[in-house]
């Protein structure tokens, strides 16, 4: 499971589709509708928010918006209710770690997006996240699977 700190506009088609699927799984976990993945490290920052299910629903709304902009037909009805209006803090080190990870994927899967990524020093963050200085987050499995 990878719930990117990076804005979904930077993802290729395969990455955006996977993010949607994994975001919906995360939503199910945080709503208590599934028993698997309950302790997945990618969920810790959502669990630390005042409204875990609402924060992941807000996250998914941005993913949905990117999909619509690209002409994909994701089902908005799958996104739960969200009254969460806050932001979740995340380190710049985490954002940049994910940026390197994504660029490695893009190098293999989407040369055009990779060239665009290479021209940027730093990606835009998903708007749910408030970026502050710091290293890679403690919950990140460095060098682990995406």
């Amino acid at each position: 499971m990878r719930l990117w700190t990076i804005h979904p506009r930077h993802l290729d088609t395969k990455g955006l589709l996977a993010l949607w699927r994994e975001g919906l799984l995360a939503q199910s976990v945080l709503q208590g509708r599934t028993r698997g993945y309950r302790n997945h490290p990618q969920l810790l920052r959502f669990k630390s928010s005042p409204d875990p299910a609402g924060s992941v629903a807000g996250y998914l709304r941005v993913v949905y918006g990117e999909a619509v902009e690209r002409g994909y037909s994701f089902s908005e009805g799958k996104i739960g209710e969200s009254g969460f209006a806050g932001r979740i803090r995340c380190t710049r080190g985490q954002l940049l770690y994910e940026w390197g990870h994504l660029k490695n994927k893009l190098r293999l899967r989407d040369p055009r997006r990779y060239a665009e990524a290479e021209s940027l020093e730093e990606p835009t963050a998903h708007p749910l996240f408030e970026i502050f200085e710091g290293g890679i987050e403690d919950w990140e499995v460095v060098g682990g699977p995406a």
Side-chain angles (χ1 to χ4, degrees):
M1 180 185 292
R2 169 65 64 187
L3 300 172
W4 297 96
T5 306
I6 296 168
H7 195 290
R9 76 170 52 111
H10 297 294
L11 300 175
D12 61 341
T13 299
K14 186 174 180 179
L16 186 64
L17 295 174
L19 179 59
W20 177 249
R21 192 175 53 250
E22 291 166 5
L24 291 173
L25 172 60
Q27 178 177 253
S28 290
V29 172
L30 294 172
Q31 290 172 335
R33 294 188 300 140
T34 185
R35 293 183 349 183
Y37 292 95
R38 285 185 299 194
N39 298 313
H40 197 285
Q42 289 279 328
L43 298 178
L44 290 175
R45 56 189 166 171
F46 293 96
K47 286 180 176 181
S48 70
S49 80
D51 180 5
S55 63
V56 80
Y59 181 90
L60 280 166
R61 291 213 176 282
V62 174
V63 177
Y64 173 79
E66 178 64 24
V68 168
E69 194 168 303
R70 294 188 194 188
Y72 303 154
S73 13
F74 288 13
S75 176
E76 186 177 16
K78 292 183 178 184
I79 302 173
E81 294 297 316
S82 175
F84 182 75
R87 296 180 79 199
I88 297 172
R89 289 175 48 89
C90 188
T91 61
R92 178 162 274 103
Q94 181 65 34
L95 180 71
L96 295 176
Y97 173 77
E98 291 179 16
W99 188 230
H101 185 64
L102 178 60
K103 287 195 299 185
N104 285 335
K105 289 179 174 288
L106 294 176
R107 182 183 298 122
L108 300 172
R109 296 191 313 219
D110 191 329
R112 183 189 62 77
R113 277 201 188 268
Y114 175 71
E116 290 173 8
E118 277 293 281
S119 71
L120 297 174
E121 187 173 317
E122 186 171 312
T124 304
H126 186 294
L128 180 71
F129 299 112
E130 176 186 346
I131 304 301
F132 68 98
E133 291 306 320
I136 298 171
E137 296 281 352
D138 291 339
W139 49 259
E140 179 64 66
V141 180
V142 177

